[in-house]
Amino acid sequence: MHPQTPEALVRDHTVYSCVMGSRAFGLATEDSDTDRRGVFLAPTALYWRFEKPPTHVEGPGEEQFSWELERFCELALRANPNILECLHSPLVDSVDDTGRELLSLREAFLSRRAYETFTRYAHGQRRKLDADVRTHGAPRWKHAMHLLRLLTSARDLLRTGALTIDVGEDRDSLLAVKRGEVPWPEVEERMNRLAREGEDAARHSPLPEEPDRRRVEDFLVRTRRASALQADPYDEVVQGVVRGRGVGET
């Protein structure tokens, strides 16, 4: 099999792509960008080479970023907030059979680990906002809006066991924060309240302690094997190994 460029991997082997950012969150305005995220399946035969396929690719389009399937699953099992939200985008650009099975595993990735990962990310963003207030007298209001959104999403996930990323009825109040129309002390109190509610929700969450790693791994192994069986016809070594023959056997 001939080497494939990162751009070709995204172009030819994407199994799932969606729109993220403000458009997926229900917070888009006229000047909002369109952020696209995707998952590609690198052909299994490429892993027989010394030079392995990339774990992620930036581009080729503007505001586009994709992960190789294994890396994506690994991050989702760790409850990475950005990855989990990508799995729950209401704006799907494209999806094939492999992508549909990935989406069917959304619940398998969810666990109480989300409390730690979402909270750690929120704390990092809060420190940046506090630093802006100390330095400039005001936060970056767009970042403040998104932190409120994240804290609400995390709280509701821990309460219900389901991740919903569209802000729904909170849209107007969040956009008011983005425009700087809400005093910082009021925004700060909302953040503190949401953090407390998230902590309480974590103690009683219906989510399992750990994600269903075995189920996800079974999906990955089956997908890798199916990909290997689709190797180029002349790649007899790869085909032979996958079908159980040793190297050099006929």
Side-chain angles (χ1 to χ4, degrees), residues 25-200:
F25 301 143
L27 293 168
T29 57
E30 292 182 359
D31 59 348
S32 294
D33 295 327
T34 299
D35 300 322
R36 287 187 163 83
R37 300 292 180 264
V39 182
F40 64 92
L41 174 64
T44 303
L46 291 181
Y47 288 92
W48 269 266
R49 311 177 68 90
F50 286 120
E51 185 176 353
K52 307 302 181 187
T55 58
H56 59 269
V57 175
E58 188 169 355
E62 293 185 9
E63 308 297 334
Q64 182 179 8
F65 192 95
S66 300
W67 296 268
E68 205 283 323
L69 178 64
E70 182 174 344
R71 178 60 173 166
F72 185 86
C73 289
E74 179 184 17
L75 292 172
L77 287 169
R78 295 179 186 175
N80 179 292
N82 292 325
I83 300 294
L84 292 181
E85 289 182 337
C86 185
L87 276 172
H88 292 78
S89 173
L91 303 177
V92 175
D93 273 341
S94 66
V95 61
D96 66 6
D97 289 343
T98 300
R100 275 185 282 273
E101 186 169 2
L102 173 65
L103 292 180
S104 76
L105 293 171
R106 282 183 289 203
E107 291 184 357
F109 292 108
L110 297 178
S111 72
R112 294 192 184 190
R113 288 187 179 187
Y115 174 69
E116 179 184 350
T117 56
F118 277 70
T119 299
R120 185 167 61 242
Y121 183 82
H123 282 168
Q125 294 302 304
R126 179 63 182 273
R127 285 194 295 270
K128 293 178 182 179
L129 291 171
D130 289 340
D132 286 338
V133 172
R134 289 193 302 270
T135 305
H136 307 292
R140 300 181 189 183
W141 292 110
K142 180 179 179 179
H143 293 180
M145 175 192 71
H146 281 296
L147 180 51
L148 285 170
R149 180 204 64 79
L150 179 75
L151 288 167
T152 302
S153 180
R155 179 201 62 187
D156 293 346
L157 167 61
L158 292 162
R159 280 179 174 176
T160 67
L163 180 59
T164 301
I165 68 172
D166 190 299
V167 300
E169 296 179 354
D170 291 337
R171 171 182 165 85
D172 289 343
S173 64
L174 287 170
L175 288 177
V177 172
K178 180 183 179 182
R179 293 191 296 267
E181 297 172 358
V182 184
W184 172 242
E186 183 178 333
V187 173
E188 194 174 28
E189 173 53 32
R190 286 169 62 180
M191 290 177 179
N192 293 338
R193 174 176 53 80
L194 287 167
R196 291 193 302 269
E197 291 173 352
E199 183 178 3
D200 181 68

Side-chain angles (χ1 to χ4, degrees), residues 188-220:
E188 194 174 28
E189 173 53 32
R190 286 169 62 180
M191 290 177 179
N192 293 338
R193 174 176 53 80
L194 287 167
R196 291 193 302 269
E197 291 173 352
E199 183 178 3
D200 181 68
R203 289 194 290 267
H204 309 285
S205 178
L207 290 172
E209 289 290 340
E210 298 291 334
D212 194 342
R213 185 181 181 89
R214 179 174 296 183
R215 184 179 169 198
V216 174
E217 189 168 54
D218 173 72
F219 159 68
L220 180 63

